[in-house]
Amino acid sequence: MIPFTFSFAFVYFTQIFITIIPEDYWCQVPELAQLDSGQRQLLAIPKTNDGTFESCKMYDVNYTELLQAGTKIADPTWPITECRNGWEYDFSDIPYPSIATELNWVCSHDAYPHYAVAIFFCGSIVGGLIFGWVADHFGRKPALVGTNLTGFVASVATVLATNFWQFAVCRFFVGIAFDNCFTMMYILVLEYVGPSWRTFVANMNIAIFFTIATTGLPWIAYFTKNWQLLTIITSMTLLIGAVVLFIVPESARWLVSEERIDEAIVIMKKFEKVNKKNFDPIIYDRLRQTAHREALKHKEHKDYTVLDLFKTPRLRKNTILLILIWMTISLLFDGHVRQIGNLGLDPFITFSVAAATEFPADTLLTCTLDIWGRRWYAFGSLVLSGLFSILSSLVDSKKIAAVLAIIGRFLVNISLNIGLQYSAEVLPTVVRAQGVALVHIMGYVAAILSPGIIYLNVFNVKLPFIVLGIIGILGGSLSIFLPETLDEDLPDTLEDGEEFGRHQKIHHAPCCGKQIVETIA
């Protein structure tokens, strides 16, 4: 899972650093090229009400005549116009030009980076539909290889983009790889792991290697100082998908569900040898008999689609709840990632500090999820994340606001990892990849709205976190209506999925064992 975790992080976050724009920029005036930047601003750029220089306006005067007359400071009564010759950028805080600064995605074009993010998530919707279907019909491995190679080719093509639409098309195809480049491997691994180790395997890989990838990414950008090179470097992990066919075994659980039982047994015998175990052959005979019997009972399973999740009442309810909760998590997570960069502090440091919260969040989750359970943990982490998001918008100090926002990010990290595991545990094997893909697709739909929410800071810097906080509280409240999956076997058939959790009550918290509310069936 390790290289796929790096791919997951790089595919998601690299676009932030290849479209990053310095905080300070102003109109370029070719006639003043011989002056230093401070003198150019004093002579050519009007000031705002708070005394800073305008980013999108310049004085509409004859600068050649002004230089000849020895004028060094602008007269505020001069006429003003929009920038006519491009922009200059202060690269002291962002030490390299990005594609956004090279193509001047500022002022009237300042929404282009946000559009590019939305287009990226549109690609994710298409990728989820395609590769979720591939994974359930042709196997987890073909889907894993296909999504990684698609992302690699599109990432490399990104460096050739010379205008917004070329860039947007490339990022659409990179989006097809997100987050399928990781999720397919995640599903495959979880389909091998028993309940007692499921939480550890699902979360500690993310805790360690996702944290390394995300905290390191800003500094790869900082020291390469080249957005094209950054794009190439971060795409290399996707090449692992090309060799996965020779390393990773297909999911034995999926093979059994497809009546390819002998292939599954071959794989398990390899595991037996590697793990130095010795099982009685009668165990495999019993597996073969049981699997054939189940296959006859559910012969129509090959035609199952994601629509089957909505045909029975409890499975439909659980699927809709998973969708709504994951939409909340996706919007909250993506919003925190992008809004923290707008707090007016060093973007490389704040991104790394916020990303570093992944390790303690996932470590805490790994140690406590199998004690506290999924349901109330998801509820608490999402609601508290929403509350801290709102609190960060109510303080005036940038540093205190950043601390509160980072706590909110810590909590939404917990929610994200619960959500990843929750959907893979609740949905049945025969449509698990399609179902998880559908849940994630709807998360991408929600994430498309994230750039719009972050763009609200143009009107008021406090608005994005207020909106994100309200969404977190509302979405988190839905978690208590899902079944608890702690120590439960994964459902395999649609019938298993419909019955899953029927015996439960809306539950005592497993750590204290006290019932809170009666059954919702």
Side-chain angles (χ1 to χ4, degrees), residues 22 36 61 66 115 125 131 154 160 163 165 180 215 238 279 328 340 359 418 464 507:
D36 65 42
V61 293
L66 291 176
Y115 293 156
I125 294 171
F131 289 110
L160 305 176
N163 59 54
W165 288 111
N180 300 292
T215 55
L238 289 161
F279 284 96
T328 299
I340 281 176
F359 180 77
I418 295 173
H507 206 203

Side-chain angles (χ1 to χ4, degrees), residues 29 31-32 34-47 53 59 61-76 78:
V29 182
E31 298 94 322
L32 306 182
Q34 70 274 26
L35 303 179
D36 65 42
S37 62
Q39 291 175 322
R40 290 197 294 271
Q41 285 180 296
L42 286 172
L43 186 55
I45 310 301
K47 289 189 175 182
F53 288 104
Y59 288 114
V61 293
N62 188 318
Y63 290 101
T64 302
E65 292 180 358
L66 291 176
L67 288 174
Q68 291 173 350
T71 304
K72 294 184 178 180
I73 299 178
D75 182 344
W78 289 345

Side-chain angles (χ1 to χ4, degrees), residues 126-170:
V126 174
L129 289 169
I130 293 173
F131 289 110
W133 181 84
V134 169
D136 279 336
H137 287 78
F138 299 100
R140 293 9 177 174
K141 286 174 63 175
L144 191 59
V145 173
T147 186
N148 276 269
L149 291 183
T150 299
F152 173 75
V153 172
S155 291
V156 173
T158 299
V159 305
L160 305 176
T162 57
N163 59 54
F164 172 74
W165 288 111
Q166 290 176 4
F167 180 81
V169 168
C170 290

